[in-house]
Amino acid sequence: MNKLTDTYTLYNGVQIPCVGFGTWKTPDGDVAENSVRTAIEAGYRHIDTAAIYGNEASVGRGIRASGVKREDLFVTTKLWNDVRGYNETIEAFHKSMEKLGLDYLDLYLIHWPNPARFRDNWQHNNAETWRAMEDLYKTGKIRAIGISNFRVHHMEALMETATVVPMVNQLRLCPGETQPEVTAWCREHQILCEAYSPLGNGRIFEVPEMKAIADKYGRSVAQVCIRWSLQMGYLPLPKSITPARIVDNTHVFDFSLDEGDVAAIAAMTDCCGETPDPDTGRF
């Protein structure tokens, strides 16, 4: 990968830009709109949001304000945990599309595999939701469909009835959190692993070992995290609402980490906080 617009190829042939701009916790309104517009002006062509973020409408406005052609952008949103079932998923998709102001979506994800509300029968509910997403995909309303936070047993259950294999699994992947069993299963089944929260929860900026690696390359800790994610074969989704940092986070293609540093960063356990367990979370 040599630039922001370089792409991974999903197994169905769809091209997805190798770094996405995340909008989790980005406040709705001018902040979200301006940050998305700034990101696109900085070269991002991949924008990631979700129904639960509450900022889809503002993200859509930022996309339109950028002036970049729709076909040159890759846009993702996600189905939240309060929705499962065939008809309910179709309805939720159209609500997201109305908020985004888009005619089609590049990627739609099931946000979590085992919501508390549907925990007694999550396998069936996921199957019905996935069936709706498959139909939306087959009619061309979505270019690719996938999942998020799914572990191996969730994916195996989904595959029992699926006619379309998920193209993406968006996971919490950051220094010290590599989820090796999940990522190996995904790669075996040609499912691209996207890395949300690639900078962890902010604690990584205070880790002496990470600061030393960043100093070694003359880079910021954030740039090292994003570069590490790419070299691990992930698709990172960094987020910021600060224009200077949005730009700085794009400068990750003119250096490489040596293999020892990649391994050292992967081994930095307990520096980015714990990843929620999708089977016990109260959401």
Side-chain angles (χ1 to χ4, degrees):
M1 301 297 175
N2 298 308
K3 56 186 182 301
L4 280 177
T5 52
D6 283 352
T7 59
Y8 290 105
T9 302
L10 303 179
Y11 77 77
N12 67 340
V14 167
Q15 303 288 310
I16 180 170
C18 65
V19 178
F21 182 70
T23 61
W24 180 49
K25 291 188 176 179
T26 299
D28 192 30
D30 290 345
V31 174
E33 179 179 343
N34 292 337
S35 64
V36 167
R37 187 182 70 251
T38 298
I40 295 172
E41 290 172 350
Y44 286 93
R45 293 296 179 265
H46 177 177
I47 308 298
D48 182 273
T49 185
I52 192 60
Y53 298 173
N55 59 19
E56 287 173 313
S58 300
V59 167
R61 288 195 298 272
I63 288 170
R64 290 187 293 279
S66 74
V68 173
K69 294 179 181 178
R70 170 67 184 95
E71 58 267 28
D72 293 334
L73 296 172
F74 192 101
V75 183
T76 301
T77 194
K78 311 175 195 74
L79 180 78
W80 185 238
N81 295 351
D82 57 350
V83 178
R84 284 297 185 274
Y86 184 91
N87 292 328
E88 294 85 349
T89 298
I90 299 288
E91 181 180 356
F93 167 76
H94 287 298
K95 285 182 179 178
S96 284
M97 294 301 288
E98 182 178 356
K99 290 178 181 178
L100 286 164
L102 302 178
D103 295 327
Y104 68 91
L105 190 65
D106 297 286
L107 178 63
Y108 198 38
L109 306 178
I110 300 177
H111 208 150
W112 288 87
N114 193 357
R117 180 175 176 181
F118 300 100
R119 191 148 291 162
D120 290 342
N121 199 11
W122 62 266
Q123 297 96 327
H124 171 75
N125 286 303
N126 281 346
E128 284 298 288
T129 283
W130 190 251
R131 185 167 66 90
M133 292 172 65
E134 288 178 331
D135 284 352
L136 289 164
Y137 168 68
K138 290 172 183 176
T139 60
K141 296 182 184 299
I142 310 171
R143 298 177 65 223
I145 53 177
I147 52 183
S148 182
N149 298 295
F150 275 56
R151 296 187 176 176
V152 172
H153 63 285
H154 304 123
M155 293 187 283
E156 289 176 336
L158 190 69
M159 293 297 292
E160 290 179 4
T161 57
T163 62
V164 177
V165 177
M167 291 133 197
V168 167
N169 191 3
Q170 189 176 118
L171 301 161
R172 188 172 184 273
L173 299 167
C174 49
E177 178 61 286
T178 60
Q179 300 199 47
E181 181 183 7
V182 178
T183 56
W185 199 96
C186 288
R187 286 169 179 148
E188 180 182 348
H189 293 82
Q190 296 183 285
I191 300 171
L192 176 67
C193 293
E194 290 188 336
Y196 74 79
S197 297
L199 312 183
N201 59 5
R203 286 167 53 191
I204 192 66
F205 295 103
E206 304 305 321
V207 176
E209 295 84 357
M210 181 59 83
K211 289 182 179 180
I213 292 173
D215 289 343
K216 172 182 174 180
Y217 293 93
R219 299 289 173 158
S220 69
V221 168
Q223 289 168 335
V224 168
C225 287
I226 296 165
R227 182 69 208 179
W228 171 82
S229 192
L230 287 166
Q231 290 185 222
M232 289 290 289
Y234 310 148
L235 192 161
L237 300 165
K239 65 143 295 191
S240 179
I241 61 173
T242 305
R245 291 177 182 170
I246 290 172
V247 174
D248 285 346
N249 288 346
T250 70
H251 296 157
V252 296
F253 298 98
D254 57 349
F255 75 104
S256 295
L257 303 170
D258 65 41
E259 291 183 5
D261 289 329
V262 171
I265 293 169
M268 289 181 182
T269 55
D270 300 325
C271 68
C272 285
E274 294 185 4
T275 298
D277 184 338
D279 291 318
T280 59
R282 297 181 180 180
F283 49 85

